[in-house]
């Protein structure tokens, strides 16, 4: 096995922008607003296909079926079988992301027949006026929320926060969230799910119609007492390593995420399960078993379990793993 790079699955969104091109150096269609780039996926909404090396053209789902533990790791196969547990994306939000909520595993598996959606956002770039909706204001109960939503009154119920480049937010299932002002570029690590319950879409029209809302299901799953904490780059502990620094962004039930700032040569620990490198800035190389794989801003690499990776260059990486 070797580091796998996949063809990007680009998704047009009403709120999409052009930062994939201007900041992450992606080639995107000029006449489309691309909002999502699915980087590593076994979800039917956007399957990943290898574009490098001897496995070029094969789908990640095929490789998992054929190689199982060799690619995912024994623990992952025991827990999930051949169902890949994560979905890694970039998001370019240039207009308001609808106010939404995601279900937990129990509800999603029972109602939607797929995983719930716990997700984390790392802010790669944000305009100075970027504001998000993260949770509901204190005192907003289910009864108050339902009454206001039924009247179409969305004033004074959302918790609104400002964000900037380098911020990290873990969004647990049941958290009402969206964007309100400005633009924001995000690296998202999430469970393998595409279930979203839309609460409010700012009355905008898509092809002459308002998009569907999912109020009843949203009411079933909202956690009315949860407001996510925002981890600021200046406040996070920096762990000094040979060749760089590490920040432990999250240790969670569904995934772990570390941020690396590498300047020189860095030998990553060998993970028994797979991991994913999202290249957020800079450029360098991955050295694996005598072979060199170039890595630059906007790239994503899937690293099979038990591979020893040496990273060289001046490069910023998010590492997602289980």
């Amino acid at each position: 096995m070797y580091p796998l790079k996949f063809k990007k699955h680009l998704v047009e969104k009403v709120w999409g922008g052009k930062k994939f091109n201007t900041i992450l150096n992606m080639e995107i269609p000029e006449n489309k607003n691309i909002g999502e780039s699915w980087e590593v996926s076994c979800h039917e909404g956007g399957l990943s296909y290898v574009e490098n090396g001897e496995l070029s053209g094969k789908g990640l789902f095929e490789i998992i079926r054929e190689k199982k533990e060799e690619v995912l790791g024994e623990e992952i196969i025991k827990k999930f079988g051949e169902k890949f547990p994560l979905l890694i994306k970039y998001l370019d939000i240039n207009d308001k992301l609808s106010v939404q909520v995601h279900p937990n595993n129990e509800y999603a598996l029972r109602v939607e027949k797929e995983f719930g959606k716990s997700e984390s956002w790392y802010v790669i770039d944000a305009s100075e006026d970027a504001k998000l909706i993260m949770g509901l204001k204190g005192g907003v109960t289910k009864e108050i929320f339902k009454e206001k939503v039924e009247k179409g009154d969305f004033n004074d119920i959302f918790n609104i926060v400002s964000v900037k480049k380098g911020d990290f937010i873990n969004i647990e299932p049941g958290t009402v969230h969206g964007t309100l002002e400005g633009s924001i570029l995000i690296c998202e690590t999430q469970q393998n799910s595409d279930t979203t319950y839309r609460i409010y879409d700012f009355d905008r029209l898509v092809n002459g119609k308002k998009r569907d809302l999912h109020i009843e299901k949203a009411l079933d799953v909202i956690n009315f007492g949860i407001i996510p904490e925002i981890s600021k780059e200046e406040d996070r502990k920096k762990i000094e390593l040979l060749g760089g620094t590490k920040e432990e962004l999250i240790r969670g039930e569904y995934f772990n995420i570390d941020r690396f700032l590498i300047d020189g040569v860095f030998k990553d620990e060998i993970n028994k399960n797979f991991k994913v490198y999202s290249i957020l800035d800079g450029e360098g190389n991955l050295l694996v078993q005598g072979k060199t794989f170039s890595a630059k801003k906007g790239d994503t690499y899937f690293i099979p379990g038990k591979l020893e990776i040496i990273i060289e260059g001046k490069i910023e990486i998010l590492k997602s793993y289980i």
Side-chain angles (χ1 to χ4, degrees), residues 228-261:
E229 291 185 11
I230 299 178
S231 162
K232 301 287 184 181
E233 181 178 8
E234 60 269 23
D235 298 331
R236 291 193 293 263
K237 179 182 177 182
K238 309 294 190 291
I239 301 170
E240 295 295 330
L241 304 168
L242 185 63
T245 62
K246 179 175 84 168
E247 300 168 9
E248 296 181 353
L249 299 182
I250 184 174
R251 296 291 181 268
E253 179 180 359
Y254 301 109
F255 45 76
N256 307 304
I257 305 175
D258 295 335
R259 176 179 178 242
F260 291 91
L261 289 173

Side-chain angles (χ1 to χ4, degrees), residues 40 71-73 76 80 84-86 88 271-276 302-306 319-322:
V40 180
V71 64
L72 293 186
I76 303 300
F80 299 101
F84 188 62
L86 297 184
I88 311 295
N271 292 75
K272 53 189 172 184
N273 302 321
F274 76 90
K275 55 192 172 187
V276 176
F302 174 94
I303 311 297
K306 297 183 180 179
K319 171 182 166 181
S320 303
Y321 60 102
I322 293 177

Side-chain angles (χ1 to χ4, degrees), residues 30-53:
E30 291 185 6
N31 59 340
K32 292 185 178 180
N33 291 327
I34 302 299
E36 297 185 356
S37 177
W38 292 29
E39 299 287 307
V40 180
S41 168
C42 268
H43 193 282
E44 59 185 11
L47 297 169
S48 288
Y49 291 89
V50 180
E51 66 173 14
N52 71 323

Side-chain angles (χ1 to χ4, degrees), residues 165-180:
K165 180 179 179 179
D167 288 352
F168 175 79
I169 311 171
N170 186 46
I171 305 172
E172 297 180 13
T175 305
V176 173
H177 61 286
T179 64
L180 194 62

